[in-house]
């Protein structure tokens, strides 16, 4: 089952090729809240009926939003983990290694995941890299521009899977589902020094258009493309799912939600699980107007967003009160 949300309000449920607008439900957040309060699955609170819709047409016309938003954007957290996928270390190590023989902190972190990122069900595994991207205001709908600030040195895509979580009244994280994500980052800034990673991640990210409800497939095959005008300038496959990762999803979830401030009732968390495919690693320099396209059959409609560079606002000064 897949869920989508209309920018104008309304939730679409898709089962196979059949998509319909759910009657009387305006948001996926509201639907998830209802399921949490009733102590049941989301499928159990979806009413019957509703008009049939053409999901591909809605996506093409820019009618679909991020699949789930919090009604208060400041209570929606965009975070993620890196160096979680087999093969993800080579690009990062090349960015941070001082010499060919040097083992960077990135490679050390990756190796920790390989050795201890998939613990037994009742055990805690290795702690992954973690990053913060911003509040819900930075969640970009499919089709909308991913904006790069004027001071940025680069704006590049990261094709990832993201999980959406609603925190229940008792502090329990409830996973709503998984979506495609473009974890937009500044890799040139990151390459200067590993400690600039936090700076490089403070950018918007896009999600959707569809949210997969249920378990994440163990093996996911997708494609990451960049389209410039009528030309495809980058086209590579990406793999995800636990069969292609050095961590389990449960281990990554634990190391995020073990922090009490991340278990505040009613908050919405979006957690991105990392990637192993970057156009930056292939030497691509993105330009204004380039369109990022991330797709995987398991997630239905592809996620597309153009790149837009904002004007530099110059020096930011504070005002003494």
């Amino acid at each position: 089952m897949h869920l989508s949300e209309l920018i104008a309000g309304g939730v679409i449920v898709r089962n196979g090729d059949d998509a319909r607008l759910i009657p009387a439900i305006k948001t996926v957040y509201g639907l998830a809240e209802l399921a949490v309060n009733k102590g049941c699955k989301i499928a159990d609170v979806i009413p019957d009926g509703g008009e049939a819709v053409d999901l591909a047409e809605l996506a093409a016309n820019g009618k679909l939003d991020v699949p789930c938003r919090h009604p208060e954007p400041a209570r929606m957290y965009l975070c993620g983990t890196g160096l979680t996928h087999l093969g993800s270390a080579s690009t990062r190590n090349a960015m941070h290694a001082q010499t060919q023989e040097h083992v960077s902190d990135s490679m050390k972190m990756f190796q920790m995941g390989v050795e201890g990122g998939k613990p037994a069900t009742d055990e805690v595994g290795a702690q992954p890299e973690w990053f913060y991207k911003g509040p819900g205001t930075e969640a970009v709908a499919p089709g909308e521009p991913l904006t790069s600030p004027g001071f940025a040195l680069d704006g590049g895509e990261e094709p990832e899977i993201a999980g959406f979580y609603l925190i229940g009244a008792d502090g329990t994280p409830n996973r709503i589902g998984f979506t495609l994500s473009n974890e937009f980052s500044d890799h040139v800034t990151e390459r200067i020094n590993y400690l600039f990673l936090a700076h490089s991640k403070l950018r918007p990210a896009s999600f959707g258009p569809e949210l997969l409800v249920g378990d994440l497939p163990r093996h996911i095959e997708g494609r990451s493309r960049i389209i410039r005008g009528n030309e495809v300038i980058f086209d590579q496959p990406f793999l995800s799912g636990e069969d292609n990762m050095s961590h389990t999803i449960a281990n990554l979830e634990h190391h995020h939600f073990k922090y009490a401030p991340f278990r505040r009732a009613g908050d919405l968390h979006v957690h991105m699980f990392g990637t192993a495919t970057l156009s930056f690693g292939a030497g691509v320099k993105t330009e204004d107007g380039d369109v990022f396209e991330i797709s995987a059959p398991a997630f239905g409609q592809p996620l597309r967003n153009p790149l837009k560079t904002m004007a530099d606002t110059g020096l930011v000064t504070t005002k003494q009160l």
Side-chain angles (χ1 to χ4, degrees):
M1 183 177 75
H2 294 75
L3 298 174
S4 302
E5 189 167 308
L6 292 166
I7 292 175
V11 177
I12 296 166
V13 60
R14 179 174 69 83
N15 287 288
D17 295 329
D18 298 323
R20 61 183 174 89
L21 188 63
I22 300 174
I25 301 290
K26 293 299 183 183
T27 67
V28 171
Y29 180 89
L31 188 67
E33 193 174 40
L34 184 61
V36 169
N37 291 339
K38 287 181 173 291
C40 63
K41 300 290 188 182
I42 286 181
D44 297 330
V45 295
I46 296 178
D48 295 330
E51 66 173 292
V53 296
D54 187 329
L55 204 57
E57 181 180 1
L58 290 170
N61 291 327
K63 301 294 186 181
L64 300 179
D65 200 357
V66 171
C68 185
R69 289 188 184 272
H70 197 288
E72 303 173 49
R75 298 187 62 187
M76 181 175 177
Y77 297 83
L78 310 183
C79 307
T81 44
L83 294 167
T84 55
H85 283 63
L86 302 174
S88 65
S90 57
T91 300
R92 291 285 294 279
N93 189 61
M95 290 165 64
H96 302 141
Q98 298 168 7
T99 65
Q100 191 171 7
E101 295 77 23
H102 176 67
V103 179
S104 69
D105 285 342
S106 291
M107 185 60 79
K108 293 175 184 177
M109 180 71 74
F110 174 75
Q111 193 58 39
M112 288 169 60
V114 170
E115 295 173 358
K118 293 186 173 181
T121 303
D122 57 349
E123 296 179 357
V124 174
Q127 183 170 254
E129 177 189 73
W130 183 93
F131 58 83
Y132 171 71
K133 292 194 68 67
T137 54
E138 306 312 299
V140 175
E144 293 297 310
L146 283 165
T147 56
S148 184
F151 58 78
L153 303 179
D154 179 48
E157 87 299 335
E158 294 200 17
E160 305 193 13
I161 307 301
F164 282 66
Y165 304 84
L166 175 60
I167 310 301
D170 61 353
T172 299
N174 296 271
R175 189 194 309 125
I176 306 170
F178 298 96
T179 72
L180 292 174
S181 170
N182 188 339
E183 196 269 287
F184 186 60
S185 300
D186 182 345
H187 302 104
V188 173
T189 291
E190 180 190 347
R191 185 175 59 183
I192 294 171
N193 188 298
Y194 184 70
L195 296 180
F196 283 166
L197 176 71
H199 289 275
S200 75
K201 296 297 186 181
L202 287 171
R203 304 289 187 274
S206 59
F207 306 94
E210 299 189 66
L211 183 144
L212 170 66
V213 178
D215 293 333
L216 186 71
R218 293 191 60 87
H219 178 76
I220 296 168
E221 298 183 15
R223 297 205 74 81
S224 179
R225 303 199 311 163
I226 299 177
I227 302 159
R228 181 173 295 166
N230 296 320
E231 180 185 0
V232 176
I233 65 166
F234 177 78
D235 186 350
Q236 282 191 8
F238 71 89
L239 300 175
S240 194
E242 287 189 3
D243 286 351
N244 303 294
M245 297 173 67
S246 52
H247 290 260
T248 62
I249 296 297
N251 189 54
L252 299 177
E253 291 172 335
H254 162 76
H255 283 294
H256 178 72
F257 291 112
K258 68 184 181 184
Y259 295 103
F262 290 164
R263 299 194 305 273
R264 188 174 63 177
D267 284 354
L268 180 68
H269 286 252
V270 186
H271 197 82
M272 290 153 271
F273 293 109
T275 188
T277 302
L278 304 174
S279 66
F280 176 79
V284 174
K285 174 64 175 175
T286 57
E287 298 178 359
D288 255 26
D290 287 351
V291 176
F292 303 112
E293 181 186 89
I294 297 169
S295 61
F299 292 91
Q301 297 298 313
L303 175 61
R304 297 186 182 95
N305 299 91
L307 170 63
K308 180 179 180 180
T309 301
M310 305 300 290
D312 192 350
T313 55
L315 180 67
V316 176
T317 59
T318 60
K319 179 180 179 180
Q320 178 65 53
L321 297 179

